[in-house]
Amino acid sequence: MATEAGEAVVAALREDIDRLFDAEPDVRADADDSVHQMRVATRRLRSVLRSYRKLFDAEEAAATEAELKWLADLLGVARDAEVRAERFTDLLTGYDRVPAEVTDALVGASRAAYTAAHTEVLSAMDGKRYRRLRKVLKTWRTDPPLAPELARDNATDVFDKVLRRDRKRLRKLVFAEPTATPADRVELLHDIRKGAKRLRYSCEAAATVLGPDATDLGTRAKRLQSVLGDHRDAVESREAILVVAAGTHATAATVYELLADTEEAAAGRAIAHYPAAAAFISAAN
């Protein structure tokens, strides 16, 4: 007997909800990479709700997605600060005799920002809003508000249609990139990255139903996401360095200039891999 779409999407949701719940104790303990893991689980859940939205009650799905966005944004502030601290630390190891003020302004400030953001996360997790979200997710884990008609359809047909739609959306963005102005290109590349991430997660949710084809497509989307993530990280790091440099005195200016140039070169190396990483989307059906 063919698997019903509702049954299959519930299984995908349950896996991501378990990931989110499993990450919570580690986030509370400030364990290494815990904020990242919880943020990924939250984003995966949002992606499933968006890509497979027609399988759910529209109003309840939209409300839950909005709360997941709130949580993802909260975790994102901490995670972004954590990434900057790690990136700046690695960046500075490539240089001798870095002034302490530069280390403090980049690494120290980022670590302080992470500590403050993590405190906000813990406060939110002890609050009513998070407790309500957790209660809702427990319900979604076993008995989500499915749309009765479509949920009974064949999972293969429904999931294949979702992947085609997400792939088509990404292809439209990729095809728009060559004609984008320099001013618009960075943000368009960011949108392509988000589109690749959405396709990746919808593929991963469909892997059990659609098999190797979905897995392969998800792997390609992940590669594109990774390439553009490396580019985005370098661009944002360079911008952050220049902001700090603008408020410093002349003795440290040369160091900041070198660091900014290093990140500009890193962005260039990352984007050089973009055409090959995006090539798969041109063959989309």
Side-chain angles (χ1 to χ4, degrees):
M1 182 177 177
T3 302
E4 293 184 351
E7 177 186 349
V9 81
V10 169
L13 280 173
R14 185 180 301 121
E15 186 175 342
D16 290 329
I17 291 170
D18 286 346
R19 282 196 184 101
L20 192 156
F21 288 165
D22 288 346
E24 183 180 326
D26 288 338
V27 171
R28 290 185 179 277
D30 200 14
D32 184 52
D33 203 42
S34 58
V35 170
H36 174 56
Q37 293 303 317
M38 192 173 193
R39 185 191 192 193
V40 168
T42 305
R43 285 181 160 183
R44 289 174 65 100
L45 276 169
R46 283 191 67 214
S47 185
V48 171
L49 290 179
R50 294 177 70 188
S51 291
Y52 295 87
R53 61 188 181 278
K54 291 185 179 179
L55 284 167
F56 307 111
D57 175 87
E59 186 174 339
E60 292 195 48
T64 301
E65 185 190 336
E67 291 304 284
L68 287 168
K69 183 180 186 304
W70 163 75
L71 179 59
D73 289 347
L74 196 65
L75 293 164
V77 176
R79 176 57 181 167
D80 289 348
E82 184 178 39
V83 168
R84 284 195 302 273
E86 292 171 354
R87 189 175 187 93
F88 289 148
T89 298
D90 292 343
L91 187 62
L92 293 178
T93 59
Y95 294 88
D96 295 327
R97 297 185 297 277
V98 176
E101 66 182 272
V102 173
T103 301
D104 290 343
L106 296 178
V107 179
S110 296
R111 287 176 177 168
Y114 170 78
T115 298
H118 185 260
T119 299
E120 288 295 319
V121 169
L122 296 184
S123 178
M125 290 170 67
D126 289 333
K128 292 181 180 180
R129 186 172 184 178
Y130 179 75
R131 289 198 295 271
R132 284 196 300 268
L133 174 58
R134 213 177 187 285
K135 184 176 181 180
V136 168
L137 292 178
K138 284 183 178 180
T139 300
W140 279 81
R141 187 183 180 278
T142 56
D143 189 26
L146 295 171
E149 299 80 8
L150 191 58
R152 288 193 291 266
D153 285 356
N154 184 286
T156 299
D157 295 339
V158 173
F159 280 37
D160 181 67
K161 187 178 295 185
V162 168
L163 264 57
R164 287 177 181 274
R165 185 179 64 241
D166 284 354
R167 192 173 185 175
K168 184 178 180 180
R169 182 183 292 107
L170 177 59
R171 191 206 307 183
K172 183 177 180 181
L173 292 169
V174 170
F175 282 7
E177 184 271 330
T179 59
T181 65
D184 293 336
R185 187 168 184 254
V186 171
E187 286 308 310
L188 180 55
L189 289 172
H190 186 47
D191 288 341
I192 293 171
R193 179 195 177 196
K194 291 189 290 185
K197 185 186 300 182
R198 177 169 174 172
L199 176 59
R200 169 195 170 187
Y201 290 155
S202 62
C203 285
E204 290 176 355
T208 301
V209 173
L210 300 180
D213 287 345
T215 300
D216 179 66
L217 181 59
T219 299
R220 292 172 185 269
K222 182 179 179 180
R223 169 61 178 160
L224 177 56
Q225 173 196 339
S226 178
V227 165
L228 293 179
D230 290 344
H231 175 257
R232 184 78 175 185
D233 287 348
V235 168
E236 291 185 341
S237 176
R238 178 179 179 272
E239 291 175 351
I241 289 167
L242 292 176
V243 168
V244 175
T248 193
H249 52 73
T251 56
T254 300
V255 177
Y256 286 122
E257 184 177 335
L258 288 172
L259 295 175
D261 288 347
T262 299
E263 289 295 56
E264 185 173 16
R269 288 193 300 272
I271 205 63
H273 296 290
Y274 168 72
F280 78 95
I281 206 68
S282 299
N285 295 327

